[in-house]
Amino acid sequence: MKNVAVMGYGTVGSGVVEILLKNRGQIAEKNGEDIAVKYVLDLREFPDSPVADKIIHDFEVLVNDETVDIVVETMGGLNPSYPFVKRCLEAGKHVVTSNKALVAAYGTELLQIARERQVNFLFEASVGGGIPIIRPLYQSLAGEKIEEITGILNGTTNYILTKMGENGESFDAALKKAQELGYAERNPEADVEGYDTCRKIAILTAVSTGCEVNYEEIYTEGITGITDVDFRYAKKMGTSIKLFGSSRMQQGKAFAWVAPVMIPPSHPLYAVSDVFNGILVKGEALGVSMFYGSGAGKLPTASAVVADIVDAAKNSHKNVYGGWSSRKLELSSMEEAEHRYFARIAGCEKDSIDSVKKELGQTEVIKLEEESGEYAILTDKMPEKEWNQKKDKLAADGVEILQVIRAEV
């Protein structure tokens, strides 16, 4: 029998316990032996829960108990998650986590400790909730050269953008509804500013390349500047706007970024709506593959955690997942990345289009009858540095650019 200790009995932690108890027989059959919950570490008491007799408040109890084989961390954040997880690995215990902040910040160190102690540090649930993506990258696609990973990796922002696109709601109205439904936190900064997506694309990039990725070096732009007017233009163009986390290997260079992108119906991620996540993986031999499902939620995320628990139990005496090494992946500047650009410009087309075409060359012009004080353009593909230079020259010529969104149309 393998004993599990769960640190944090919140949404995900309680879901993990629920699945382990409900599916105990099925899990034992697949694993070859029973997996039991021995401790649940939390500051609170849960007298009416199924684990009332397993609640402990002292971390030292579980870390010093040699009968605890696997520790599940679902507390979130970095403190005390990081020191607790580090000590558990050093004590020779397998650790499973859903904590993307922990994996993004300290994954390299924790993976190295796991290798040294011949245990496993597993984090399938840290990206994509219940969507299997980490394990497919390092197992199913182990022989594949990954050229691109692009994903809608945050359900909160995808819900907000979906409501803005489908219902014409403002950002503030859509955010308020997301908060009322429990999709967004009271302080939604990590989601709407793109920080959550940034950490997730850093993890995916590290897994696919085998190199350490510093998430703080990833260009990150959120959705707070997106407006209902942008979506009216998008509707006329037959496109939509999604928040992408993207990692691409192009001409021997690595690019990673987070930003809103305008995409057409032909794009594989176009139909990913509401709180769902979608992850596109492009391989040299594989071509394009899509992973889709619930990117968050109690039971979907807990399902991914339990899968890691079973994996750890099956490999209880060896380290089977290398993750990535301490060799750092050098990311190229966002200025070298190439996109098309959708730009809204103040004033009438006739007043500034000559300056625009002189600077940008042939551009597509888009107009909305209800927005008589502006028009929009769609440029050809160019490096970001070149676009910024042209944009600055237009500003010097008196052309006022109201909005810029990268486009893959």
Side-chain angles (χ1 to χ4, degrees), residues 112-234:
Q112 179 59 34
I113 295 171
R115 283 190 287 268
E116 292 171 354
R117 299 298 193 278
Q118 283 298 295
V119 292
N120 292 288
F121 176 58
L122 302 170
F123 45 88
E124 179 66 66
S126 66
V127 179
I131 305 172
I133 184 62
I134 302 295
R135 192 170 284 102
L137 282 176
Y138 76 81
Q139 286 186 350
S140 304
L141 302 177
E144 183 64 71
K145 181 180 179 181
I146 304 299
E147 297 177 338
E148 176 184 348
I149 300 176
T150 294
I152 295 171
L153 302 171
N154 183 276
T156 299
T157 52
N158 202 41
Y159 175 85
I160 291 170
L161 292 175
T162 298
K163 295 310 171 188
M164 292 177 71
E166 292 182 352
N167 304 337
E169 297 181 16
S170 68
F171 170 81
D172 290 337
L175 171 59
K176 183 178 180 182
K177 187 171 292 185
Q179 290 173 320
E180 291 171 351
L181 293 171
Y183 297 148
E185 301 289 342
R186 182 174 298 178
N187 179 1
E189 181 181 21
D191 294 324
V192 300
E193 295 294 354
Y195 305 146
D196 177 80
T197 297
C198 173
R199 286 170 171 79
K200 291 174 179 177
I201 197 62
I203 294 169
L204 292 177
T205 305
V207 172
S208 64
T209 63
C211 298
E212 179 182 34
V213 176
N214 184 351
Y215 70 92
E216 294 180 333
E217 295 178 358
I218 294 176
Y219 175 88
T220 302
E221 182 181 318
I223 66 168
T224 54
I226 303 298
T227 71
D228 52 328
V229 177
D230 299 324
F231 272 102
R232 288 203 288 274
Y233 278 103

Side-chain angles (χ1 to χ4, degrees), residues 2 31 33-35 70 94 122 308-317:
K2 292 290 186 294
N31 182 54
E33 63 180 319
D34 193 21
I35 295 179
I70 303 166
H94 303 279
L122 302 170
D308 275 349
I309 293 172
V310 173
D311 202 6
K314 286 182 176 180
N315 297 281
S316 58
H317 300 297

Side-chain angles (χ1 to χ4, degrees), residues 314-328:
K314 286 182 176 180
N315 297 281
S316 58
H317 300 297
K318 60 181 178 179
N319 175 270
V320 294
Y321 173 46
W324 56 84
S325 70
S326 59
R327 183 167 64 89
K328 186 178 178 182

Side-chain angles (χ1 to χ4, degrees), residues 4-24 27 35-41 49-52 54-55 72 74 298-299 302-303 305-306 309:
V4 173
V6 178
M7 300 193 297
Y9 196 63
T11 301
V12 178
S14 61
V16 170
V17 172
E18 180 179 334
I19 294 175
L20 288 175
L21 295 178
K22 182 180 180 180
N23 299 339
R24 187 167 180 174
I27 292 170
I35 295 179
V37 177
K38 184 168 186 180
Y39 300 120
V40 174
L41 177 70
S49 78
V51 294
K54 304 179 189 300
I55 296 292
V72 176
T74 57
K298 176 179 178 177
L299 294 179
S303 174
V305 172
V306 172
I309 293 172

Side-chain angles (χ1 to χ4, degrees), residues 194-381:
Y195 305 146
D196 177 80
T197 297
C198 173
R199 286 170 171 79
K200 291 174 179 177
I201 197 62
I203 294 169
L204 292 177
T205 305
V207 172
S208 64
T209 63
C211 298
E212 179 182 34
V213 176
N214 184 351
Y215 70 92
E216 294 180 333
E217 295 178 358
I218 294 176
Y219 175 88
T220 302
E221 182 181 318
I223 66 168
T224 54
I226 303 298
T227 71
D228 52 328
V229 177
D230 299 324
F231 272 102
R232 288 203 288 274
Y233 278 103
K235 185 176 182 180
K236 181 165 185 178
M237 297 166 65
T239 64
S240 188
I241 302 169
K242 304 289 187 181
L243 182 69
F244 278 3
S246 189
S247 172
R248 305 181 185 188
M249 302 298 293
Q250 297 174 341
Q251 298 176 337
K253 295 181 179 180
F255 296 90
W257 48 267
V258 175
V261 180
M262 187 174 282
I263 59 173
S266 59
H267 195 288
L269 295 172
Y270 180 88
V272 179
S273 60
D274 289 315
V275 294
F276 287 91
N277 283 191
I279 306 169
L280 176 156
V281 177
K282 182 179 179 181
E284 185 178 53
L286 170 74
V288 174
S289 183
M290 273 282 293
F291 297 80
Y292 171 84
S294 298
K298 176 179 178 177
L299 294 179
T301 305
S303 174
V305 172
V306 172
D308 275 349
I309 293 172
V310 173
D311 202 6
K314 286 182 176 180
N315 297 281
S316 58
H317 300 297
K318 60 181 178 179
N319 175 270
V320 294
Y321 173 46
W324 56 84
S325 70
S326 59
R327 183 167 64 89
K328 186 178 178 182
L329 181 67
E330 296 296 332
L331 297 176
S332 296
S333 169
M334 186 64 171
E335 288 198 334
E336 296 182 59
E338 294 187 348
H339 294 93
R340 299 182 75 184
Y341 298 89
F342 164 85
R344 288 169 41 211
I345 298 174
C348 299
E349 178 192 353
K350 63 181 181 180
D351 294 335
S352 59
I353 194 63
D354 289 341
S355 295
V356 171
K357 287 187 174 180
K358 179 182 177 182
E359 190 59 49
L360 298 177
Q362 188 62 40
T363 60
E364 181 180 341
V365 178
I366 308 101
K367 302 178 191 175
L368 295 178
E369 291 183 5
E370 65 270 27
E371 297 293 335
S372 58
E374 64 175 71
Y375 66 98
I377 60 166
L378 183 64
T379 74
D380 286 337
K381 195 173 185 179

